[in-house]
């Protein structure tokens, strides 16, 4: 049985039920700031507020996992001052919000090659992962220095060391192996592309695109996406 079939049964149609794992490409911070004639950093700052609000909503809505695309392996192409602003916000977010995760049974995970970030950030992250490792509520997975093609290549290399390269063997080595199968992928800001995010995991995920810019994304938008997910018919190639 393929991993996908194993995770969803025989694909005999019917409504999709409740989503377990939602991922979001949080896009549009720069445009949000530009519309207000403010620096991009202001948009990113408001974007962090949205992360906090949506992570809380995901927990309250009973999602098992929420994966957020925060920094891609291609975002290193941006000017140094923007990268430095983003890394500064990452530091202060972990410092300010870790206690809330601990208190609310949230398990923090990272996907992507975060070990390549600044050593003090790696230390903050490792501490946050360790302190929330035993939590069994919602998992908040943050994609940092994440590129899906790189992830798949890394997973295939590890799988090859262990035995034959099969889809199951690769899947078991992906950064997302600790998460439930991806049900719903959301992208804000009107762009209709994946930008190297969860390419493998999205094989049979439902997609929801909105023109709303990330700093304007509210729990009501998440609820709307989830409601639409529930009414969709997933077939997984069956009938
Ligand atoms: C998303 O907002 C945040 C990151 C990619 C870090 P952008 O910075 O891409 O905003 P736009 O797309 O330029 O509006
Ligand atoms: C995708 O957004 C990456 C994140 C949201 C972190 P980008 O703004 O980097 O994507 P492109 O460049 O428009 O495809
Ligand atoms: Mg963008």
């Amino acid at each position: 049985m393929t991993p996908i079939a194993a995770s969803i049964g025989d694909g005999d149609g019917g409504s999709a039920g409740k989503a377990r794992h939602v991922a979001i490409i949080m896009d549009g911070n720069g445009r949000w700031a530009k519309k207000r004639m403010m620096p991009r950093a202001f948009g990113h700052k408001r974007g962090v507020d949205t992360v906090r609000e949506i992570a809380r909503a995901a927990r309250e809505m009973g999602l098992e996992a929420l994966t957020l695309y925060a920094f891609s392996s291609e975002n290193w192409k941006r000017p140094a001052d923007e990268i430095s602003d983003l890394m500064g916000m990452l530091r202060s977010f972990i410092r300010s919000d870790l206690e809330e995760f601990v208190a609310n049974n949230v398990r923090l995970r990272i996907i992507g090659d975060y070990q390549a970030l600044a050593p003090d950030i790696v230390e903050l992250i490792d501490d946050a992962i360790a302190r929330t490792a035993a939590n069994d509520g919602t998992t908040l997975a943050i994609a940092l220095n994440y590129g899906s093609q790189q992830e798949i290549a890394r997973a295939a290399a590890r799988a090859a060391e262990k035995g034959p390269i099969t889809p199951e063997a690769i899947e078991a080595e992906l950064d997302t192996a600790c998460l439930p199968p991806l049900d719903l992928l959301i992208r804000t800001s009107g762009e209709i592309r994946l930008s190297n995010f969860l390419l493998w995991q999205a094989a049979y995920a439902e997609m929801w695109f909105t023109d709303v810019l990330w700093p304007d994304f509210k729990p009501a938008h998440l609820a709307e996406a989830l409601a639409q997910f529930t009414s969709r018919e997933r077939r997984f190639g069956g009938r």
Side-chain angles (χ1 to χ4, degrees):
M1 199 185 274
T2 66
I4 288 162
S7 61
I8 53 90
D10 294 330
D12 56 354
S15 83
K18 193 175 182 321
R20 299 173 63 197
H21 180 190
V22 175
I24 309 182
I25 303 174
M26 312 183 285
D27 199 12
N29 293 349
R31 278 163 283 170
W32 186 91
K34 193 174 180 194
K35 275 193 353 194
R36 288 159 180 79
M37 294 193 294
M38 296 294 282
R40 293 179 65 86
F42 183 64
H44 291 314
K45 206 162 180 301
R46 293 297 288 267
V48 175
D49 295 338
T50 303
V51 167
R52 187 171 291 121
E53 202 177 357
I54 295 302
R56 279 181 194 145
R59 182 164 56 74
E60 284 159 11
M61 292 174 193
L63 285 183
E64 279 177 53
L66 175 70
T67 299
L68 299 176
Y69 203 6
F71 193 87
S72 78
S73 43
E74 288 73 37
N75 286 147
W76 297 110
K77 294 177 192 166
R78 296 192 181 198
D81 61 341
E82 182 171 0
I83 294 172
S84 154
D85 287 341
L86 287 166
M87 294 300 153
M89 286 178 214
L90 175 61
R91 276 187 190 91
S92 50
F93 175 73
I94 299 171
R95 288 202 184 104
S96 61
D97 285 52
L98 178 57
E99 291 313 321
E100 181 173 333
F101 299 150
V102 172
N104 289 297
N105 198 23
V106 173
R107 186 174 68 136
L108 183 76
R109 302 297 300 230
I110 304 294
I111 63 169
D113 185 14
Y114 76 93
Q115 308 282 352
L117 301 179
D120 72 297
I121 297 184
V122 176
E123 202 178 308
L124 273 173
I125 288 173
D126 284 337
D127 173 59
I129 292 173
R131 289 196 50 205
T132 60
N135 290 352
D136 60 2
T138 301
T139 297
L140 175 63
I142 303 185
L144 290 173
N145 191 21
Y146 177 87
S148 186
Q149 292 176 337
Q150 295 88 326
E151 176 199 30
I152 293 166
R154 277 198 307 272
R158 280 198 295 264
E161 281 172 16
K162 296 182 182 170
I165 304 181
T166 61
E168 292 81 357
I170 292 174
E171 189 153 275
E173 300 295 336
L174 292 173
D175 297 356
T176 51
C178 58
L179 303 171
L182 181 63
D183 292 314
L184 176 64
L185 179 61
I186 295 173
R187 183 171 188 146
T188 60
S189 90
E191 309 298 346
I192 314 292
R193 56 176 172 262
L194 295 180
S195 302
N196 204 13
F197 189 51
L198 302 180
L199 304 179
W200 179 291
Q201 296 85 344
Y204 273 102
E206 298 295 316
M207 312 239 175
W208 196 78
F209 296 95
T210 175
D211 288 339
V212 172
L213 302 173
W214 178 248
D216 289 329
F217 192 83
K218 298 288 166 218
H221 296 113
L222 178 61
E224 186 188 338
L226 287 169
Q228 209 192 92
F229 171 85
T230 305
S231 70
R232 288 193 193 170
E233 185 195 352
R234 300 180 87 185
R235 294 192 186 154
F236 302 95
R239 50 170 292 199

